[in-house]
Amino acid sequence: MLKRLQAELSTEAGAPDPRQRQYTTAVLLAVAAATLLGWTFDITGPAILGGLTTVFVLITSEGHSLRADLRMFARFAPALTLVMAVGPLLGRTPVLAGTLVTLVVFGTGMLPALGERYRTFGQTFAAATLVSTTTGIGTDQPVTALAFWAVLGALFALLLRVLLGLGDPTRTIRVTVAQTLTTPGPGVVANAAAAWRTDGRVNWLGQVLAGAARFRAAREVLLAQVQQASGPEAEWLRRTAARGDEIATELATAVRSRVCTGLNRLARGRPEELSGSEQHEIPEAVRGINEGLDRVRAAVLERDTSAATAATSGGRRQQALGAVRAHLSLRSALFRHALRCALAVAAGMAVVLLLRTPAASTLLLGLYVVLQPAARDSMNGALERTGGAVLGVVLLSILIVLVPYAVLLVPLTIAAMLLRVQLLRGDYRLLLAALIGITLLDRVNESERQSLVDSTIGFAANTAIGAAIALAVGFVSYLVLPSSLGPDVHGTIRSTVWSLSELLRSVRAAGRGAEVRAGLRSAHVLALRRTQDLLGLPAMLDGSETVDQRTEHGTNNAAVALDALRQDLATLAFRPDSERALAAPALRAVDELLGGNTTARIPDVTGSQAPATELLAGSLLENGLHARSAIDETFGYDEPWKSYTVSFVRPERLRIR
């Protein structure tokens, strides 16, 4: 445990990390001071809300470069601060509070359609609304105290984020970009490119992404050729791919560093030379790997900090409008799930009004921890979460009864949350579980008129009631809302591929100058809805007895790859016309791959002037290859795509229809 703590407070090289140590020290001192003030002046409720405000703001506005995170802070922090300050006051008017909570749960349930950061904000804002409005924490305090502590919590979150990023503001984005050289699988480049665009499109990082996308696409083709070959040739190709990975890992270290004055021998090497190429003909895929790595080397050494070409105006607005059109329909699994959560919360609020007991403060949080993490049209795992929520409350209740001054666990829990913000951002169930624990500890401490045993039994019973409401509404909704209890794996994948093909051809037609704006919007709406439905399918297959593990694995990979492909296409549609032609060969190649054409040819993507578009072209190729592989794995074809004849050709040799 001590070694792990030392590693977290140190840099990659093992030296002490002053930023992490300053962050940890500031958190511990602030929590201790807030605890002392809360007990001294009897303002524990506002102090708890202030600490949770800090947690919520950090979850939504931390994780990228300092500049991008400050922009997210300005966008998300005011709403979180307002709901934490006003929420306890709304608890005095239950009907208004119930209406607000229901609307917030529905609205935030739709935000995943706008992207990962909005999904994180939506989930966090819903949790903040439930805690501030329905738990009773701080309801006996004046509005000035609530507002003061909420604002103080938001400002402390800003201070913590500045402490982490002031010495090296771009460290996070460099780490994110470097992961594209070391982390295999679909969607990695798409996520890194989205972070890069948010951070201001620094040119040298864009060049690294373009080179990494080229390297990854060529690497996938080389691995495909390994499956085709046999004997010494296959072993040499496999060894060459491994050497390429070693070089990419070394270059990733250079990308992560603040300054690079030179590259070592391994980072300058060629994979075919390191694996011995005297008796082998160099495949085109290996040349593609070298071109991608050369691009990364040049970018790392030159480090051009100017901004790359921006997207055409109106692109983000059009994508947002497309997301709204795609999901404001009962045909959307995301819409059905948001409606399901809103109905369950409305039913839970009605029960809370009928019970009129402080022990009901954990009811809605227990309901939400069961229902909200369910993936779209799936209730798989709901029973396990029900048992976990109730059992957790029972065990914590026993701890409160047996341990004196158990309320001290509240500041300790908040401190742990502040030190594990990344973990909370990635696991929503853990965040809700921590909030249930804090609510239970605070409410039991306030219930002095009842015995501890009676109070804890009441909280456990109400948590079970909330979980039961979630299960009832969740399962009954399948009989009311138009959804499918039995997942159709092959049909869902086919419809997703068809919708992406339509979007791809619309983008190609727009690149040739055709007026297809209306058709492009419609194709994007359909593709967005289909990929979101496919992303929810793996959760429905989890633990299913009718689907084997290979199909489940292939479906998950196909969902991630096709969604990443959809993101690339949607972004490419709004690049400048002068650059869009760079990706035309890649579009045709991916179109052929999705159609299962056994003569699909994978084109080279050359250039060094438009990294934003070039990385999209490379990412298109890689995600298309991943999607084709996953689709064939899911359908169980005896002759998978790896037996196709694929090779790299120059763009000028292709004639785009």
Side-chain angles (χ1 to χ4, degrees):
M1 185 68 179
L2 183 59
K3 290 183 178 180
R4 183 177 179 182
L5 180 61
Q6 289 176 343
E8 291 178 354
L9 297 178
S10 303
T11 62
E12 281 187 53
D17 189 344
R19 295 182 300 272
Q20 288 293 340
R21 300 196 175 201
Q22 291 170 0
Y23 180 93
T24 303
T25 302
V27 166
L28 296 179
L29 290 177
V31 170
T35 303
L36 182 61
L37 288 173
W39 275 1
T40 302
F41 299 101
D42 194 23
I43 50 173
T44 55
I48 291 173
L49 293 177
L52 292 179
T53 302
T54 304
V55 173
F56 294 143
V57 171
L58 281 176
I59 289 175
T60 58
S61 56
E62 193 263 341
H64 293 283
S65 69
L66 181 59
R67 175 169 51 182
D69 285 344
L70 291 179
R71 191 179 299 119
M72 293 300 105
F73 177 88
R75 185 177 301 175
F76 296 144
L80 288 166
T81 305
L82 180 64
V83 77
M84 293 300 287
V86 176
L89 303 177
L90 296 177
R92 302 169 188 173
T93 53
V95 176
L96 180 60
T99 303
L100 173 67
V101 170
T102 302
L103 292 176
V104 166
V105 167
F106 176 76
T108 56
M110 298 294 294
L111 286 180
L114 299 180
E116 181 65 20
R117 299 211 75 163
Y118 284 94
R119 179 194 66 80
T120 301
F121 168 72
Q123 290 183 336
T124 307
F125 188 73
T129 305
L130 288 172
V131 168
S132 63
T133 308
T134 67
T135 60
I137 299 176
T139 53
D140 58 342
Q141 298 292 330
V143 63
T144 52
L146 296 172
F148 172 78
W149 281 92
V151 172
L152 187 63
L155 293 177
F156 183 57
L158 178 62
L159 173 64
L160 291 177
R161 182 60 192 95
V162 171
L163 275 178
L164 279 178
L166 194 59
D168 189 1
T170 62
R171 177 176 180 269
T172 307
I173 186 62
R174 295 199 311 271
V175 171
T176 301
V177 171
Q179 287 175 350
T180 60
L181 291 166
T182 58
T183 306
V188 178
V189 174
N191 293 334
W196 171 71
R197 284 188 288 268
T198 302
D199 186 55
R201 308 180 314 279
V202 177
N203 203 299
W204 80 270
L205 289 174
Q207 300 285 359
V208 170
L209 282 171
R214 175 77 180 112
F215 161 75
R216 293 167 68 93
R219 178 181 179 275
E220 287 301 312
V221 174
L222 183 62
L223 292 177
Q225 293 174 351
V226 170
Q227 300 296 322
Q228 287 182 288
S230 60
E233 182 69 16
E235 180 60 30
W236 179 76
L237 291 174
R238 189 178 293 107
R239 193 164 61 248
T240 301
R243 291 297 189 181
D245 291 342
E246 293 175 6
I247 297 172
T249 301
E250 197 67 26
L251 286 173
T253 303
V255 173
R256 287 192 295 267
S257 63
R258 291 187 65 180
V259 179
C260 181
T261 57
L263 300 173
N264 61 26
R265 182 177 180 181
L266 178 58
R268 298 194 307 269
R270 301 269 174 174
E272 71 277 11
E273 295 174 358
L274 296 176
S275 60
S277 59
E278 295 80 6
Q279 300 177 353
H280 301 275
E281 182 180 353
I282 307 300
E284 289 293 328
V286 175
R287 294 191 178 95
I289 287 177
N290 284 325
E291 290 171 3
L293 295 177
D294 286 341
R295 184 78 168 273
V296 174
R297 293 185 188 102
V300 167
L301 294 174
E302 294 173 5
R303 302 222 170 194
D304 179 8
T305 56
S306 63
T309 309
T312 55
S313 60
R316 184 173 299 179
R317 182 176 62 86
Q318 289 295 333
Q319 292 185 43
L321 291 175
V324 172
R325 290 180 58 199
H327 293 295
L328 280 182
S329 168
L330 284 175
R331 292 176 293 177
S332 167
L334 191 64
F335 180 88
R336 293 194 296 267
H337 184 58
L339 184 59
R340 187 178 299 120
C341 291
L343 292 174
V345 167
M349 285 295 297
V351 173
V352 170
L353 292 178
L354 292 175
L355 293 177
R356 293 186 178 277
T357 171
S361 57
T362 58
L363 189 150
L364 282 171
L365 284 173
L367 179 154
Y368 210 56
V369 78
V370 171
L371 189 59
Q372 204 286 333
R376 317 295 160 77
D377 278 347
S378 169
M379 285 294 287
N380 289 348
L383 288 174
E384 290 83 353
R385 288 192 295 274
T386 298
V390 176
L391 180 61
V393 170
V394 170
L395 292 177
L396 186 56
S397 300
I398 295 174
L399 182 66
I400 293 172
V401 172
L402 297 178
V403 178
Y405 301 106
V407 72
L408 287 175
L409 291 174
V410 172
L412 292 177
T413 302
I414 292 177
M417 294 171 75
L418 289 171
L419 296 175
R420 291 291 181 271
V421 169
Q422 291 184 353
L423 186 61
L424 296 177
R425 187 185 299 113
D427 191 342
Y428 192 51
R429 292 170 296 180
L430 182 61
L431 173 62
L432 294 175
L435 296 177
I436 291 175
I438 290 173
T439 301
L440 180 61
L441 289 165
D442 178 75
R443 294 291 85 196
V444 169
N445 183 60
E446 294 291 330
S447 303
E448 298 178 352
R449 291 174 295 178
Q450 299 178 348
S451 69
L452 285 177
V453 175
D454 292 340
S455 295
T456 53
I457 290 176
F459 282 107
N462 280 283
T463 303
I465 292 173
I469 294 173
L471 289 175
V473 174
F475 284 110
V476 169
S477 65
Y478 290 111
L479 304 177
V480 179
L481 300 177
S483 57
S484 175
L485 288 173
D488 179 10
V489 177
H490 292 180
T492 304
I493 290 179
R494 285 193 183 99
S495 62
T496 305
V497 171
W498 181 85
S499 65
L500 281 175
S501 296
E502 289 298 307
L503 176 61
L504 190 151
R505 289 164 187 169
S506 298
V507 173
R508 289 181 63 190
R512 295 194 298 267
E515 183 56 43
V516 291
R517 182 169 300 180
L520 182 60
R521 284 199 298 265
S522 299
H524 179 240
V525 166
L526 184 60
L528 182 57
R529 185 183 299 156
R530 292 287 184 264
T531 51
Q532 290 292 320
D533 290 347
L534 184 60
L535 284 171
L537 194 59
M540 301 178 68
L541 301 178
D542 187 21
S544 176
E545 298 179 356
T546 60
V547 178
D548 57 29
Q549 187 174 2
R550 178 186 178 187
T551 301
E552 184 178 340
H553 180 264
T555 302
N556 182 68
N557 288 345
V560 175
L562 290 172
D563 184 61
L565 192 59
R566 194 260 321 156
Q567 294 178 50
D568 289 340
L569 289 170
T571 307
L572 182 62
F574 297 102
R575 294 302 303 166
D577 294 339
S578 58
E579 295 183 11
R580 204 179 301 159
L582 289 171
L587 288 171
R588 180 176 182 178
V590 173
D591 194 9
E592 293 174 345
L593 278 174
L594 292 180
N597 187 345
T598 58
T599 61
R601 299 171 66 83
I602 311 301
D604 189 6
V605 180
T606 59
S608 58
Q609 303 302 318
T613 299
E614 292 160 27
L615 74 87
L616 287 173
S619 183
L620 280 168
L621 295 178
E622 185 206 359
N623 290 321
L625 293 167
H626 278 299
R628 184 70 257 168
S629 176
I631 290 169
D632 289 327
E633 181 182 4
T634 303
F635 281 73
Y637 291 155
D638 294 332
E639 296 182 359
W641 75 274
K642 291 183 175 65
S643 65
Y644 293 178
T645 302
V646 289
S647 62
F648 282 83
V649 298
R650 296 291 174 183
E652 57 269 18
R653 296 180 184 175
L654 288 176
R655 293 183 179 179
I656 305 303
R657 293 191 300 269

